[in-house]
Amino acid sequence: MDIQALYERFLRHPHICTDTRKIATGSIFFALRGASFDGNRFALQALEAGCACAVVDDDALPAGDRFVHVPDALSALQQLAALHRRRLGLPVLQITGTNGKTTTKELCAAVLSRKYRVLTTEGNLNNHIGVPLTLLRLTAAHEMAVIETGANHPGEIAQLSALVGADCGLVTNVGRAHLEGFGSLEGVARTKAELYDALRARRAAGEAGRCGTPFVFLHKGDALLEEKAAGLPAVTYGAPGSGADVEGEAVGTGFSLTLRFRFGGGVWHEAATQLVGDYNLPNCLAAAAAGLRFGLDGAEIAEALAAYEPRNNRSQLVDTGRNRLIVDAYNANPTSMASALESFARLSGQQKMLLLGEMRELGDESRSEHRRVGEALARMTGAEVWLVGREWDAVDGPGTWRRFADADAARAALASERPEGRTVLLKGSNGTRLYTLVDAF
């Protein structure tokens, strides 16, 4: 079956499922394959559970109207998503970057939703499966979309950009993450800049969406991003005096980030956010730039930034009654870890405690990067330090530092010692499971 014929079916049954545990009656089941599973084995079960048809790539399955045979089910899903996005033609903002892309995506969606009906990536569904599933959730009722794209190998952003067909793009930053896959910081930069390359290609082809010729949102003052985005029209954001379209800065000394911003040297607008850490300032300014470009005024943007509630263990402030926690335990890499430590060091108040998980996917650079974090920790006086994971074993530090093989070992110590009156930063790669320790405080 060709993609056009499959699309006709999708228009009659506009719901997609890939998991037989989450079947919606009348949906289309895609039999995706993975390293340890084969969706073709569950195709008949999906039909019996109420799916309208199953898209399969196993010739052993029977022919018939309810089995749609294709060469590759994943490729069919991606082609279907790209076709659907082109048919609807609404404005799409694509976001990628090393750090802050999910928070920036959420902030942009929160701001733009003040004026438009916005579809956005749910959670962290930002890969070769999650992106097409998100695009296939678009309907004629939506007025725009904010799509997050992630990568851990070269070429992935280019592939996802081809599906998304973005009208505008935003790279939050480039940092030292997934070095095992990218090989170097330059490898990270080249991959993130594949979004810029896709926008250039659309411009060269004379393509223009509902918001005009393709353009970018750009952090002015980030020399690497400015170099990679050269030649593309940009809506810029940056520090006061930078000459950016949106200028902003952190203000006040509160625990959560309060910022002020203005457009083109105009009046200042202040937003007291619920985000912890002034490293979130560029994320907020990026969202303000998106609001500016799409016709929101400063008051609307400030209200949206203040109302946004962080979740999913990203820059969350949790008061347990005994302790105050900054839970930033969804992900960690050398760049985000350094930013979190710098921000935490500037906080004043209660006795500080750092509970840090190891940073994953750093390849041959892992030990040196962990040592670099250790050197920063050694300069932070007065903070209690707990380290979780074997990658910290090669890091020298004072005998007062506590070391644990895993989160369960740390939990046992917390249960025994019951710390109280602490301001605690929980930061580590998701695989270290530090998020499971919140209730132990």
Side-chain angles (χ1 to χ4, degrees):
M1 175 176 286
D2 63 28
I3 292 301
Q4 182 58 48
L6 182 56
Y7 189 59
E8 294 300 324
R9 287 205 181 203
F10 172 72
L11 293 178
R12 297 194 301 271
H13 305 283
H15 299 283
I16 302 298
C17 66
T18 60
D19 187 337
T20 52
R21 295 167 298 184
K22 302 174 183 178
I23 294 294
T25 302
S27 59
I28 299 177
F29 176 76
F30 275 79
L32 303 183
R33 298 174 185 261
S36 58
F37 65 89
D38 181 357
N40 291 283
R41 294 173 51 200
F42 304 98
L44 182 58
Q45 180 182 336
L47 294 176
E48 292 172 345
C51 282
C53 63
V55 179
V56 299
D57 54 18
D58 185 345
D59 291 338
L61 289 168
D65 187 60
R66 298 187 71 196
F67 284 100
V68 179
H69 285 264
V70 296
D72 182 272
L74 175 58
S75 178
L77 177 72
Q78 294 171 337
Q79 292 177 59
L80 183 67
L83 175 58
H84 182 55
R85 182 268 179 273
R86 290 196 300 272
R87 289 292 177 87
L88 288 180
L90 50 76
V92 176
L93 164 60
Q94 180 181 342
I95 297 176
T96 191
T98 300
N99 301 311
K101 56 183 173 290
T102 299
T103 299
T104 302
K105 175 257 300 184
E106 295 285 343
L107 288 167
C108 286
V111 167
L112 295 171
S113 293
R114 293 281 164 143
K115 185 172 182 178
Y116 302 97
R117 294 186 297 275
V118 180
L119 174 78
T120 188
T121 303
E122 292 182 343
N124 199 38
L125 294 175
N126 62 10
N127 65 5
H128 61 295
I129 296 174
V131 169
L133 289 175
T134 299
L135 293 173
L136 288 166
R137 288 174 43 231
L138 284 167
T139 72
H142 291 111
E143 295 175 297
M144 66 183 349
V146 180
I147 306 295
E148 177 185 341
T149 50
N152 54 26
H153 288 86
E156 286 186 282
I157 295 301
Q159 294 170 357
L160 295 174
S161 297
L163 298 180
V164 174
D167 299 279
C168 48
L170 194 165
V171 180
T172 57
N173 49 53
V174 172
R176 299 179 66 78
H178 300 298
L179 296 179
E180 192 171 39
F182 291 123
S184 65
L185 180 62
E186 177 54 30
V188 179
R190 283 197 302 269
T191 301
K192 303 305 181 185
E194 289 169 0
L195 171 53
Y196 296 153
D197 295 337
L199 293 169
R200 285 193 188 92
R202 291 198 68 194
R203 282 175 55 78
E207 297 180 26
R210 293 186 188 174
C211 50
T213 188
F215 65 96
V216 297
F217 295 100
L218 182 63
H219 188 179
K220 193 161 188 176
D222 188 318
L224 180 56
L225 291 183
E226 289 181 327
E227 174 192 342
K228 297 294 185 184
L232 285 166
V235 179
T236 58
Y237 56 95
S242 65
D245 297 309
V246 177
E247 295 183 336
E249 62 186 351
V251 295
T253 58
F255 204 72
S256 298
L257 169 66
T258 296
L259 71 145
R260 65 174 188 163
F261 63 91
R262 64 182 179 183
F263 305 146
V267 299
W268 289 102
H269 302 275
E270 187 168 302
T273 78
Q274 300 174 60
L275 291 159
V276 180
D278 51 16
Y279 51 85
N280 279 300
L281 174 63
N283 304 333
C284 292
L285 295 180
L292 169 65
R293 173 59 179 77
F294 287 101
L296 282 83
D297 63 36
E300 291 172 314
I301 293 169
E303 289 172 4
L305 294 176
Y308 170 70
E309 296 182 23
R311 52 189 183 276
N312 297 328
N313 304 307
R314 290 181 170 93
S315 300
Q316 283 182 266
L317 177 60
V318 178
D319 192 332
T320 69
R322 292 190 297 121
N323 300 285
R324 189 163 53 169
L325 314 180
I326 300 170
V327 185
D328 196 11
Y330 186 85
N331 206 354
N333 56 60
T335 304
S336 68
M337 186 71 82
S339 296
L341 292 179
E342 290 169 6
S343 179
F344 191 68
R346 289 191 286 270
L347 293 178
S348 59
Q350 296 169 299
Q351 182 179 345
K352 294 180 181 179
M353 178 178 179
L354 292 153
L355 203 163
L356 305 181
E358 63 188 2
M359 302 174 291
R360 303 279 177 88
E361 298 184 46
L362 294 178
D364 294 340
E365 302 296 320
S366 185
R367 288 201 168 191
S368 62
E369 293 294 352
H370 281 84
R371 288 194 186 101
R372 189 174 288 113
V373 173
E375 292 168 0
L377 287 173
R379 295 191 292 269
M380 293 182 66
T381 58
E384 190 175 352
V385 176
W386 289 28
L387 304 174
V388 177
R390 293 302 186 190
E391 290 298 318
W392 297 112
D393 290 351
V395 176
D396 295 329
T400 54
W401 287 5
R402 307 283 296 278
R403 300 169 189 265
F404 304 90
D406 52 35
D408 291 336
R411 172 178 283 279
L414 291 170
S416 172
E417 300 174 29
R418 291 183 60 79
E420 188 169 353
R422 307 288 205 279
T423 297
V424 186
L425 172 65
L426 282 82
K427 177 75 175 174
S429 287
N430 196 47
T432 61
R433 299 172 52 249
L434 295 191
Y435 57 85
T436 66
L437 302 180
V438 172
D439 63 357
F441 283 93

